Amino acid sequence: SQKEATQVLRSVIPLGDRNVLGIMPATMDFLKLAGAKVITVFPGNFAKGLPSHQGVVLLFETETGALKAVADGDAITGIRTAACSAAATDALARKDAKVLAILGSGLQARAHLLAMRLVRRIEEVRVWDIDVDSANRFKLEMEEAYGLPVTVCQTSREATANADIVCTVTAAKSPVLFGDSVKPGAHINAVGACSPDCRELDTAAVAKAKLFGDRRESALAEAGDLLIPVKEEALDLSHFLGELGDVLLGRIAGRTLDTDITVFESLGLAVEDLASAEFIYERYIRAHS
């Protein structure tokens, strides 16, 4: 948002079914960095006990073009995605938010529970997943890890009703979060859908919310949560209010009323991957020098 980094829209190559190979390049001149994340996304991997995102982050320095590091793209994606949702939640959610609903129960669900607890005093967790066994495993693991009550819900509507914060971290192509089950004042982190033909939020949920994203160009090209309602002529592109970075910089207002419903449309940025890989690299160098 400060125009101190450059990136282009991700390149995506289909690999059959819903599987893709994605390439996300960027440069960060102020850190003298360039690089890319190269990653596969296989949404059906949850049934095989494998992560849906697998790949690497390649880090280059810009003085000689030398390769500095190769980092685990799966680990970085998991951590930085939840960290960005936490930053958005801290900026946009009500200060008294305490009931968390998570739609999905995989790696990102676990990372998001940890991240939400860092920015709000979470007292109750609700989880829904199309795979009930997976949701039950999440309940057992998270209750043991955090000592919080976790309720496995039979429907997504049951999970999100009266929730203060909702994180959608599914591989769904069609809506799992519905406007009629989102209460006034809720904040939503929309994470799972990252292509123009897929969405997790229905039109009613988006229409009643103040919509922000990680990057304007990405949202207007890749966010099915926005683009499908626009195609339906229910909304226009002006419904996207701006970038989270602009909220953090004080350029635009985020939540202004306790009754506002806010949405952070998280599509994932290459600059986040590079910054994360650089942080890991510097930690490694300090530890081994």
Side-chain angles (χ1 to χ4, degrees):
S1 295
Q2 289 178 308
K3 312 303 180 187
E4 294 179 359
T6 302
Q7 65 178 37
V8 297
L9 291 174
R10 74 190 90 205
S11 297
V12 177
I13 300 173
L15 297 177
D17 196 13
R18 295 175 57 199
N19 308 323
V20 299
L21 170 68
I23 304 171
M24 302 166 60
T27 63
M28 304 176 75
D29 293 340
F30 63 101
L31 292 178
K32 298 182 179 179
L33 291 178
K37 182 165 74 174
V38 182
I39 199 162
T40 57
V41 182
F42 279 57
N45 272 0
F46 74 92
K48 304 174 183 178
L50 297 172
S52 59
H53 293 64
Q54 300 175 90
V56 296
V57 178
L58 304 173
L59 199 63
F60 298 84
E61 51 89 354
T62 57
E63 292 183 353
T64 67
L67 178 66
K68 290 177 63 174
V70 179
D72 184 346
D74 178 25
I76 285 177
T77 299
I79 296 169
R80 66 87 164 145
T81 302
C84 290
S85 293
T89 301
D90 201 28
L92 298 171
R94 288 173 53 131
K95 299 301 181 185
D96 61 353
K98 60 185 179 181
V99 179
L100 170 64
I102 304 178
L103 306 186
S105 59
L107 169 67
Q108 279 298 339
R110 287 161 169 78
H112 273 73
L113 175 52
L114 171 59
M116 295 304 106
R117 293 184 71 248
L118 296 176
V119 295
R120 289 296 183 271
R121 190 180 296 275
I122 302 299
E123 298 179 0
E124 178 185 348
V125 181
R126 303 171 187 168
V127 64
W128 170 84
D129 196 298
I130 193 171
D131 184 338
V132 178
D133 290 340
S134 176
N136 284 324
R137 286 194 298 273
F138 177 89
K139 169 185 169 67
L140 292 174
E141 292 174 17
M142 297 301 98
E143 285 184 338
E144 181 178 354
Y146 302 118
L148 282 171
V150 178
T151 301
V152 175
C153 298
Q154 298 303 307
T155 67
S156 64
R157 281 184 166 92
E158 179 188 348
T160 59
N162 296 317
D164 302 312
I165 301 169
V166 181
C167 299
T168 62
V169 288
T170 74
K173 290 191 68 176
S174 56
V176 294
L177 176 64
F178 305 95
D180 61 9
S181 62
V182 177
K183 76 171 189 177
H187 170 68
I188 301 161
N189 296 306
V191 178
C194 57
S195 63
D197 60 341
C198 296
R199 61 173 170 171
E200 295 179 297
L201 280 57
D202 76 348
T203 296
V206 178
K208 67 195 297 187
K210 300 177 72 172
L211 180 64
F212 305 90
D214 44 17
R215 181 170 178 251
R216 177 176 294 274
E217 292 87 347
S218 298
L220 300 187
E222 299 173 346
D225 287 320
L226 171 64
L227 297 176
I228 294 173
V230 169
K231 188 176 180 179
E232 295 172 347
E233 298 185 349
L235 303 172
D236 59 41
L237 293 177
S238 66
H239 195 71
F240 180 84
L241 297 180
E243 297 176 351
L244 174 62
D246 288 323
V247 176
L248 298 175
L249 291 166
R251 294 173 178 169
I252 60 174
R255 172 180 298 275
T256 56
L257 299 171
D258 282 347
T259 54
D260 285 342
I261 296 171
T262 54
V263 172
F264 172 57
E265 184 69 27
S266 175
L267 293 165
L269 304 182
V271 292
E272 297 163 355
D273 297 307
L274 295 193
S276 300
E278 173 68 6
F279 176 78
I280 294 166
Y281 173 81
E282 293 295 337
R283 285 282 295 271
Y284 178 85
I285 294 299
R286 287 198 300 271
H288 294 83
S289 60

